[in-house]
Amino acid sequence: MSLPAASHLDSLETPSAVVDLDVLERNLARGAAYASKHGFVLRPHVKTHKSLFVAGEQLRLGARGLTCATPFEAEVMSSVCNDLLIAYPPAGTVGARRVAAIRPDVQLKVALDSPQVLEVLAAAAETAGRKIGVYVEIDVGMRRVGVTPGGDALALAQRIGKYRNLEFAGVAFYPGHIRGPIAAQDDELADLAALLNATLDAFDRAGLTPPTVSGGSTPTFWRTHELPRITEIRPGSYVYNDRESAGIGACTIDDCALTVLATVVSAAVPGQVVINAGTKALGREPVRGEHSGFGQLLGRPDVTVSRMSEEHGILDLSKTDWRPEIGERVRVVPNHVCIVTHLNDLIYGVRGDKVERSWPVDARGRGFKPIS
Amino acid sequence: MSLPAASHLDSLETPSAVVDLDVLERNLARGAAYASKHGFVLRPHVKTHKSLFVAGEQLRLGARGLTCATPFEAEVMSSVCNDLLIAYPPAGTVGARRVAAIRPDVQLKVALDSPQVLEVLAAAAETAGRKIGVYVEIDVGMRRVGVTPGGDALALAQRIGKYRNLEFAGVAFYPGHIRGPIAAQDDELADLAALLNATLDAFDRAGLTPPTVSGGSTPTFWRTHELPRITEIRPGSYVYNDRESAGIGACTIDDCALTVLATVVSAAVPGQVVINAGTKALGREPVRGEHSGFGQLLGRPDVTVSRMSEEHGILDLSKTDWRPEIGERVRVVPNHVCIVTHLNDLIYGVRGDKVERSWPVDARGRGFKPIS
């Protein structure tokens, strides 16, 4: 059973994930134009959409390759792209073997930050009989993953040469510690630029100039060209955007392509109504700012999702005179869009009130094997 | 491709959801024994497991029927059970029609709290040519959904008689406002008992004695027999349990059947290690208590997941001398297990180190229709 194309938005069940196709197309074009203008290789991160349809559009608009977080994402994306980066250390033999088993015609790169992962990856590559490129992940201040940018990074890069199935492909970093408004990043970007220059100079002196310097994050995305020696960018959220991106100025709220369509199911308690989008539809991601809730209504920025259960979202009506009817539909701009994608199997693409198409979240889940 | 039964835990990929079958069986038996001892109809809520395998075990152990949150859960469960409660108001025509289209041989009940939902449900039942039982949902203090227990509840129950395809099947409540430790609930339970007595006395006086009084929540579960006139309980979390249940004393940490098996992927930053279970594996559910994080390690209660990104969980090592190796595996007891189920497609069942079976999360997602 399926719905006919050009169905009205009101024919959709709720809570469902709806993408405004005009906004998606504008976002895709803007990201591609930025990369092109500054001569960056565009390698979008698929974690935000996990979709072959959206990845296809990114590649059509000039993306050289794709970035993946998991082996399953890479397996799925290998059907449309033969140049993949897995930007996540495949620790442990089981995970490394799955990485090495990606289609052999894919130019595969892996970002990692330890000799231990280097070793299991080398063993898996040898068993699979393939070459794998290695990006050395450096920590530029987020303190999550990544080796210290100084001698440790260089030492790790030098170890790669020990393994005949691995080759040094570049340096990767993720400035996730810079999360403030775009206009207020000057000092942090200056520090980051100095760190990158010092690090890369040391690589040069050792005769190990990185073929690729891969960087960027959503908050710093549009200022990446101010950093030295970057050759590649890996934007994720820019396709859909979200409330967090809008809050830091990486986009406006009108650039948020994905909303959660929900229905008002109860108005029994005064001062609030309940919609059928809770944590299982929106996640529970925070956003900066006091009392900012877990999402805001499209077209009604003064109405936020103030509390949630798994299938219930409480809309706080204290800042509005609007009193929706039971059965009325609303669209929620989520705080963080990547988790919303992970919570859905199917995305509906709309123009205005018309549902034009749908696409599966192809790389949702992990593709694990059942027990026979 | 599948894994052979009796594979070692180390053969599983990570991050995966692992259920200790001994603990699951003990939890199932304990819940069934409690219902049986006190003469309650057991109607477990499937939202916690969304699994035909676990539902089958619940029915085998004496559950009379099942509780569902969504139409899709009810559709899936209708293949193993013909007595289903949808404990969620199907607001809007699209949702009500899907509810009314559940297999006609199912004795279907719906909990709701407004005349508007009553009306759309009646229209959908009429169109489908079926009877639907209605539970009037009353708000006993949580202030989420539910009509005021006094005259409003009775008035709503009286309206049901206007619709020939609907019948008054009972009163439902969810004391979600009682969230403190079990031993400290005396006063709240006394208030709740008084409220229930007053409400049900009014129903009696109006000649509308509810055929079923359906109640319970995880925090109050084991004290339900102290409340008056309850005939039915709808426990959810008791099958798997979680850190929140253990925190309030509804179980011990050893009763938590489901853990997330994860791998240490990075130890680059001193004082912490990174595992490959982040928000996409654990959710971002809070638990009471300061600095309590998003999960704790099985067997290492002093190690918690202190920060997360989508695919990264940061283990805080400040309270332990333990220093895991990269590639080492850990098991995380999640704060709230229902969201973890929703994040996974497949659950592995283990005894000790042996993986005995796996089962799909059959009712994960929403079963929405694609656009043709």
Side-chain angles (χ1 to χ4, degrees):
Chain A
M1 286 270 288
S2 60
L3 296 168
S7 294
H8 192 276
L9 203 53
D10 289 348
S11 67
L12 296 182
E13 292 187 75
T14 61
S16 55
V18 168
V19 165
D20 186 308
L21 293 167
D22 290 329
V23 180
L24 171 63
E25 289 162 8
R26 195 171 72 214
N27 292 345
L28 284 164
R30 190 185 290 152
Y34 178 77
S36 170
K37 177 177 175 186
H38 296 287
F40 294 135
V41 169
L42 179 61
R43 186 183 292 282
H45 204 310
V46 304
K47 66 176 184 170
T48 307
H49 57 75
K50 299 175 185 281
S51 147
L52 291 170
F53 160 63
V54 180
E57 293 298 294
Q58 291 173 319
L59 292 164
R60 194 174 60 76
L61 289 167
R64 175 93 53 92
L66 298 170
T67 304
C68 304
T70 69
F72 185 53
E73 287 178 4
E75 286 163 9
V76 169
M77 293 301 151
S78 71
S79 70
V80 293
C81 181
N82 65 2
D83 184 346
L84 299 176
L85 164 67
I86 299 180
Y88 200 89
T93 306
V94 180
R97 284 195 181 152
R98 188 166 176 187
V99 165
I102 303 288
R103 281 170 56 148
D105 59 329
V106 170
Q107 283 185 48
L108 188 62
K109 288 169 270 287
V110 170
L112 53 78
D113 69 357
S114 70
Q116 292 92 330
V117 173
L118 200 58
E119 186 157 335
V120 291
L121 185 67
E126 172 117 17
T127 303
R130 79 180 301 157
K131 287 262 183 197
I132 299 179
V134 174
Y135 283 6
V136 171
E137 177 93 35
I138 61 173
D139 177 18
V140 294
M142 188 188 184
R143 299 185 64 77
R144 183 176 70 176
V145 295
V147 284
T148 313
D152 289 356
L154 184 58
L156 185 58
Q158 285 166 330
R159 284 179 87 101
I160 297 168
K162 283 176 48 185
Y163 303 101
R164 62 178 182 170
N165 291 75
L166 303 184
E167 62 191 358
F168 178 51
V171 164
F173 69 96
Y174 177 72
H177 61 297
I178 305 180
R179 306 197 69 79
I182 287 187
Q185 294 170 358
D186 289 5
D187 291 351
E188 289 168 307
L189 288 176
D191 289 348
L192 178 54
L195 185 65
L196 287 173
N197 270 325
T199 305
L200 296 172
D201 286 351
F203 274 75
D204 290 343
R205 282 194 301 273
L208 212 64
T209 298
T212 293
V213 178
S214 179
S217 66
T218 294
T220 62
F221 181 47
W222 306 106
R223 297 187 69 173
T224 309
H225 62 280
E226 298 176 37
L227 294 170
R229 299 186 57 171
I230 309 279
T231 64
E232 174 178 284
I233 53 177
R234 309 182 308 269
S237 307
Y238 81 106
V239 291
Y240 291 155
N241 286 315
D242 54 26
R243 218 167 153 224
E244 186 180 27
S245 302
I248 56 179
C251 67
T252 70
I253 204 81
D254 295 332
D255 297 323
C256 294
L258 188 148
T259 52
V260 175
L261 179 71
T263 302
V264 175
V265 298
S266 175
V269 177
Q272 66 180 40
V273 293
V274 181
I275 59 173
N276 59 357
T279 51
K280 287 182 179 175
L282 290 169
R284 193 184 284 281
E285 297 289 300
V287 77
R288 270 127 229 272
E290 247 187 311
H291 311 304
S292 40
F294 301 105
Q296 73 181 50
L297 292 203
L298 189 69
R300 296 190 184 278
D302 48 352
V303 181
T304 58
V305 180
S306 59
R307 283 191 297 140
M308 289 187 297
S309 310
E310 292 144 63
E311 302 280 2
H312 301 81
I314 315 294
L315 297 187
D316 175 5
L317 302 182
S318 64
K319 298 186 193 112
T320 177
D321 293 331
W322 173 68
R323 289 294 175 273
E325 298 290 319
I326 290 171
E328 194 166 334
R329 286 158 171 243
V330 298
R331 288 167 73 178
V332 183
V333 183
N335 287 354
H336 184 187
V337 75
C338 301
I339 193 74
V340 175
T341 300
H342 187 69
L343 295 168
N344 281 277
D345 298 288
L346 192 68
I347 308 288
Y348 294 104
V350 305
R351 282 191 213 278
D353 287 342
K354 291 284 173 287
V355 189
E356 196 172 289
R357 59 176 300 158
S358 64
W359 59 90
V361 184
D362 306 279
R364 204 206 56 74
R366 304 199 179 263
F368 286 164
K369 296 187 189 77
I371 303 292
S372 59
Chain B
M1 286 271 290
S2 59
L3 296 167
S7 293
H8 192 275
L9 204 53
D10 289 347
S11 67
L12 296 182
E13 291 186 76
T14 61
S16 55
V18 167
V19 165
D20 186 307
L21 292 167
D22 290 330
V23 180
L24 171 64
E25 289 162 9
R26 195 170 73 213
N27 291 346
L28 285 165
R30 190 185 290 153
Y34 178 77
S36 169
K37 177 176 175 187
H38 297 288
F40 295 136
V41 169
L42 179 61
R43 185 183 294 282
H45 204 310
V46 305
K47 66 175 183 171
T48 306
H49 56 74
K50 298 174 186 277
S51 147
L52 291 170
F53 160 64
V54 180
E57 293 299 294
Q58 291 173 318
L59 292 164
R60 194 174 61 77
L61 289 167
R64 176 91 55 89
L66 298 171
T67 305
C68 304
T70 69
F72 185 53
E73 287 178 5
E75 286 163 8
V76 170
M77 293 301 152
S78 70
S79 70
V80 294
C81 181
N82 63 2
D83 185 345
L84 299 177
L85 164 66
I86 300 182
Y88 199 89
T93 307
V94 180
R97 284 193 181 154
R98 187 165 177 186
V99 165
I102 302 287
R103 282 170 58 146
D105 59 328
V106 170
Q107 283 186 48
L108 188 62
K109 286 169 273 286
V110 170
L112 52 79
D113 69 356
S114 69
Q116 293 91 330
V117 173
L118 199 58
E119 187 159 334
V120 291
L121 185 66
E126 173 117 14
T127 303
R130 79 180 302 157
K131 289 262 185 198
I132 299 178
V134 174
Y135 283 6
V136 171
E137 177 94 36
I138 61 172
D139 177 18
V140 294
M142 188 189 185
R143 300 184 65 74
R144 185 176 68 176
V145 294
V147 284
T148 313
D152 290 355
L154 185 56
L156 185 59
Q158 285 166 329
R159 286 179 85 101
I160 298 169
K162 284 175 47 183
Y163 303 102
R164 62 178 182 172
N165 291 73
L166 303 183
E167 63 190 1
F168 178 51
V171 164
F173 69 95
Y174 177 72
H177 60 298
I178 305 179
R179 305 197 70 79
I182 287 188
Q185 295 170 355
D186 289 5
D187 291 350
E188 290 167 305
L189 287 176
D191 289 347
L192 178 55
L195 184 66
L196 287 173
N197 271 325
T199 304
L200 297 171
D201 286 351
F203 274 75
D204 290 343
R205 284 194 300 275
L208 212 63
T209 298
T212 294
V213 178
S214 180
S217 67
T218 295
T220 64
F221 180 50
W222 306 105
R223 297 187 69 175
T224 308
H225 61 280
E226 298 176 37
L227 293 170
R229 299 185 57 172
I230 310 278
T231 65
E232 174 178 284
I233 52 176
R234 309 182 309 269
S237 307
Y238 81 105
V239 292
Y240 291 156
N241 286 315
D242 53 26
R243 215 166 155 225
E244 185 180 26
S245 303
I248 58 181
C251 68
T252 69
I253 204 81
D254 296 332
D255 297 323
C256 293
L258 188 149
T259 50
V260 174
L261 179 71
T263 302
V264 175
V265 298
S266 174
V269 177
Q272 66 180 38
V273 294
V274 181
I275 59 173
N276 59 357
T279 51
K280 286 182 178 174
L282 291 168
R284 193 185 284 281
E285 297 290 299
V287 76
R288 269 129 228 273
E290 247 188 309
H291 311 304
S292 39
F294 301 103
Q296 72 180 51
L297 291 203
L298 188 71
R300 295 189 184 278
D302 48 352
V303 181
T304 58
V305 180
S306 58
R307 283 190 296 142
M308 288 187 297
S309 310
E310 292 143 63
E311 303 281 2
H312 300 82
I314 314 294
L315 297 186
D316 175 6
L317 302 182
S318 64
K319 299 187 190 108
T320 178
D321 293 331
W322 173 67
R323 291 292 175 272
E325 297 291 318
I326 290 171
E328 193 165 334
R329 285 157 171 245
V330 297
R331 289 166 72 178
V332 183
V333 183
N335 286 354
H336 184 189
V337 75
C338 301
I339 192 74
V340 175
T341 300
H342 187 68
L343 295 169
N344 281 278
D345 299 287
L346 192 69
I347 307 288
Y348 293 105
V350 304
R351 279 190 215 279
D353 286 342
K354 292 282 174 289
V355 188
E356 196 171 288
R357 58 175 300 158
S358 64
W359 60 90
V361 184
D362 305 279
R364 203 205 57 74
R366 305 200 179 261
F368 286 164
K369 295 186 190 76
I371 302 293
S372 58

